[in-house]
Amino acid sequence: MTDHQLPRLSDRELEIMKLLWEHGQMSAGEIASHFLKVRGQFRNSTYTFITKLIEKGVVHREDPGYICIPLYEKDTILVNEAHSFLDKVYDGSFNSMFAQFVRSKVLTPQEITELQKLIDESTKGGRKDDHASK
């Protein structure tokens, strides 16, 4: 499955993935206990979301213990979600989204400086620390 074929995740599914990325792997019971404490979400609801993640092929279940293991790294899923957002809201145009954020002054001066630095680095063939490690 390539990045563009990854399924979209609901907000709750993404929350479960973030928890799994943080811990590496967890039992379904541990995940359910976490969400019961944090937001009062019942076990059955959490198990339903875990089942959907397994069916979508982004989480692997191992027995015994109903151990949940993420099958994709965080960056892979987040980039896929960002592309889906761009496609849905901005017709796939990063430039349109970026321009709207800049025009609406959502970005702080520090963020603009950091973005300019990223743009400068990408036009010069990558980050400086990438070259140092080669």
Side-chain angles (χ1 to χ4, degrees):
M1 194 181 288
T2 64
D3 291 358
H4 284 51
Q5 295 174 326
L6 287 173
R8 288 281 328 236
L9 301 184
S10 71
D11 291 347
R12 297 294 165 121
E13 291 168 344
L14 197 52
E15 287 181 59
I16 291 170
M17 291 303 294
K18 288 177 181 178
L19 192 61
L20 288 173
W21 290 319
E22 182 181 334
H23 295 279
Q25 64 182 31
M26 296 175 75
S27 72
E30 291 170 323
I31 296 168
S33 293
H34 170 82
F35 286 108
L36 182 61
K37 283 185 224 167
V38 172
R39 64 168 26 130
Q41 186 175 1
F42 293 107
R43 277 191 176 299
N44 288 346
S45 299
T46 301
Y47 286 134
T48 298
F49 288 114
I50 292 169
T51 300
K52 287 180 182 180
L53 287 166
I54 293 166
E55 290 170 355
K56 289 179 177 185
V58 294
V59 168
H60 173 72
R61 171 187 171 175
E62 282 191 7
D63 287 313
Y66 205 130
I67 304 300
C68 300
I69 303 166
L71 295 175
Y72 292 92
E73 292 183 15
K74 183 177 182 178
D75 286 348
T76 301
I77 296 292
L78 295 183
V79 166
N80 185 66
E81 291 296 313
H83 280 288
S84 294
F85 174 78
L86 275 177
D87 290 343
K88 182 170 111 178
V89 178
Y90 294 96
D91 295 323
S93 173
F94 175 79
N95 290 347
S96 294
M97 182 193 72
F98 185 74
Q100 185 170 6
F101 275 87
V102 172
R103 282 190 207 112
S104 66
K105 299 186 182 181
V106 171
L107 302 172
T108 66
Q110 181 182 357
E111 290 170 326
I112 292 170
T113 299
E114 290 173 16
L115 286 171
Q116 184 61 54
K117 188 175 175 184
L118 287 171
I119 291 167
D120 291 345
E121 289 170 357
S122 76
T123 58
K124 293 177 184 168
R127 295 188 335 221
K128 290 177 181 151
D129 58 345
D130 287 343
H131 296 294
S133 64
K134 292 182 180 177

